[in-house]
Amino acid sequence: MRITPTFSDSDQITILLRIQHKPHWFDNDTALLQYSFVGGSVNISCDAMGEPPPSFTWLHDGHAISGSNYRWFYADYGSTLQIHVRNDSHFGDYKCKVANPLGILERIIKLRKGQKPIGPSRFQLKRAFTDGLELDIRSVKFSSVPDNMQTIGYRVDWIAVAGK
């Protein structure tokens, strides 16, 4: 603000201050042990903050990843690797490498072979409505299956077919 005996005026300037820093892990909730099964898919994620925003690179058992069984998704501060498990060679250690000009981080996420979830023990239509269905869906808890591999729910997608 400028003030003189005859007039006053003001001006505003916005200053954006970006403090550059090496990457650091964004969350500590990342599961470092994941499970899938042959024929299934799994998403493993890696999130880290950094300024400038870091780049993300994925390695499998120390080698570059390639092939149609993998898809990569990137954001400014995270990356997700989607793996379509076609055979046992897709299990192993996946390394997420995070880097910007100020530093590098690495995290290993282990992908282990698990059991394919079984279908519901009961699937029954209880009622049909014009805009939905009421279903009775149940599953069995097996004592031979570890708790972290138990089925905890189902997702149902349905499509209305004209004339039926």
Side-chain angles (χ1 to χ4, degrees):
M1 180 173 274
R2 183 174 46 180
I3 301 173
T4 69
T6 58
F7 73 91
S8 67
D9 69 346
S10 65
D11 200 4
Q12 182 175 339
I13 299 172
T14 302
I15 299 172
L16 176 61
L17 176 65
R18 289 188 182 206
I19 300 172
Q20 294 190 343
H21 59 88
K22 65 183 181 179
H24 63 86
W25 297 118
F26 183 65
D27 64 16
N28 291 325
D29 296 334
T30 301
L32 300 179
L33 180 60
Q34 297 276 340
Y35 294 94
S36 189
F37 55 91
V38 174
S41 294
V42 64
N43 292 337
I44 56 176
S45 295
C46 187
D47 299 309
M49 294 293 292
E51 189 59 47
S55 63
F56 293 82
T57 307
W58 290 94
L59 302 170
H60 177 229
D61 290 334
H63 298 60
I65 295 174
S66 64
S68 61
N69 297 326
Y70 299 97
R71 289 182 69 195
W72 298 263
F73 302 94
Y74 295 101
D76 285 343
Y77 300 105
S79 176
T80 298
L81 175 64
Q82 185 177 73
I83 306 162
H84 298 286
V85 181
R86 302 287 186 234
N87 55 54
D88 286 342
S89 71
H90 292 114
F91 298 112
D93 292 350
Y94 286 85
K95 182 186 288 186
C96 172
K97 200 169 177 181
V98 182
N100 74 7
L102 301 173
I104 297 173
L105 292 175
E106 295 181 347
R107 176 176 276 173
I108 293 178
I109 301 165
K110 298 177 180 300
L111 181 60
R112 298 294 180 250
K113 189 173 189 175
Q115 293 179 333
K116 180 179 179 178
I118 63 165
S121 59
R122 179 180 182 133
F123 184 91
Q124 181 180 5
L125 175 64
K126 291 179 83 175
R127 286 189 278 183
F129 306 98
T130 57
D131 61 347
L133 304 170
E134 182 179 346
L135 303 172
D136 183 8
I137 303 174
R138 298 181 191 177
S139 67
V140 176
K141 182 173 181 176
F142 293 98
S143 59
S144 62
V145 176
D147 284 343
N148 64 347
M149 298 298 291
Q150 294 285 349
T151 301
I152 58 171
Y154 296 98
R155 184 181 83 189
V156 177
D157 293 329
W158 64 284
I159 299 172
V161 178
K164 297 207 178 198

